[in-house]
Amino acid sequence: MVTEVAQHTAQGPLAQEFVQFAVEVGALRFGEFRTKAGRLSPYFFNAGLFDDGERLGRLAQFYARRILDSGIAFDMLFGPAYKGIPLGAAVAVELARQGRNVPFAYNRKEAKDHGEGGSLVGAPLQGRVLIIDDVISAGTAVRESIALIRAAGAVPHGVALALDRQEKATENGADVDYSAVQYVRSRLGLQVVTIARLADLLHYLGQDGAAREHRQRVQAYRDRYGVEEDGPSSAR
């Protein structure tokens, strides 16, 4: 069981900038959406909607700023198929622009049986690997990435995410008292860096007049499915 101290405060300006940006471009939407766990969520985040060069570039800036500010140690990036591929590539470019040039690799869903073959593309996996993804729902992609990274002789060290939904994971169709992010930290042993969390979204909804109408429904969802948290998004 994961034991954590409740701290439901917002993280700061970077998280608020990101939430506002995600709402403005439509990557963060409000309404009624069914999650992978079968819940009806009042909001939905889809990183695939950062769908032009300017949006993807700015998203990469948020990732890079959070990663560098966190102080997490890493030697290269890994983007799990499919959304992690453009995310990882864009973050690698932005990190290089900010003076931190690191190798980047990704995987195919199906191994290639011609040419160079295999399921891995890009730089050889080695050293401490930071996985880049959008959100974690069940941790499946992370576990698959860990297996690939370890099989190549490298060390899966951390995960960088755009949004932590801070809600209970499910096992065998039942809610558990920890989130997918907490599972990755405590059970899989990886550090996790997130640009923003549900707490940051709630703070934004309380401050923005146009979006304030959604706050009550999001808070009710948080009250029903939320988990206890142990602090901000920095790696730990």
Side-chain angles (χ1 to χ4, degrees):
M1 175 179 174
V2 177
T3 302
E4 306 204 12
V5 179
Q7 290 188 14
H8 303 315
T9 56
Q11 297 177 102
L14 181 65
Q16 291 304 298
E17 288 176 34
F18 173 71
V19 171
Q20 181 176 353
F21 169 57
V23 170
E24 287 175 350
V25 303
L28 184 53
R29 299 179 176 182
F30 304 98
E32 188 171 86
F33 308 92
R34 190 167 297 278
T35 69
K36 187 177 293 186
R39 300 166 184 159
L40 288 179
S41 172
Y43 73 99
F44 180 68
F45 176 73
N46 181 2
L49 296 175
F50 296 103
D51 55 5
D52 62 29
E54 182 178 355
R55 292 175 180 180
L56 184 59
R58 190 170 177 201
L59 174 62
Q61 289 176 5
F62 283 109
Y63 271 102
R65 287 168 63 188
R66 183 64 86 196
I67 289 167
L68 295 174
D69 287 348
S70 76
I72 188 172
F74 63 99
D75 300 305
M76 67 175 298
L77 305 180
F78 179 79
Y82 288 104
K83 284 185 181 177
I85 297 174
L87 292 176
V91 173
V93 170
E94 179 60 26
L95 285 171
R97 193 186 69 82
Q98 295 193 30
R100 181 73 193 278
N101 186 33
V102 295
F104 163 65
Y106 62 91
N107 69 298
R108 301 184 180 95
K109 284 287 188 180
E110 297 181 1
K112 188 177 180 182
D113 61 2
H114 60 281
E116 77 278 13
S119 62
L120 296 174
V121 184
L125 287 171
Q126 56 189 6
R128 298 162 296 183
V129 181
L130 180 62
I131 301 165
I132 308 293
D133 214 339
D134 55 350
V135 296
I136 296 177
S137 298
T140 304
V142 173
R143 287 193 294 269
E144 291 174 351
S145 297
I146 288 174
L148 287 168
I149 292 166
R150 285 179 174 163
V155 179
H157 188 68
V159 183
L161 304 171
L163 181 69
D164 177 3
R165 290 180 60 96
Q166 294 184 289
E167 66 181 77
K168 295 176 180 178
T170 59
E171 290 185 4
N172 301 317
D175 293 346
V176 293
D177 60 357
Y178 52 84
S179 71
V181 167
Q182 291 171 331
Y183 176 88
V184 169
R185 286 195 183 112
S186 65
R187 308 291 178 89
L188 301 183
L190 272 63
Q191 298 184 51
V192 181
V193 176
T194 59
I195 301 173
R197 305 178 302 163
L198 180 55
D200 300 300
L201 172 57
L202 282 166
H203 182 77
Y204 170 81
L205 293 176
Q207 301 298 313
D208 184 89
R212 196 172 297 168
E213 62 180 294
H214 304 293
R215 192 182 195 284
Q216 185 174 355
R217 295 181 65 236
V218 175
Q219 182 63 58
Y221 186 83
R222 175 83 166 110
D223 292 342
R224 181 172 181 181
Y225 296 114
V227 293
E228 301 290 301
E229 280 295 333
D230 66 352
S233 68
S234 57
R236 52 190 181 273

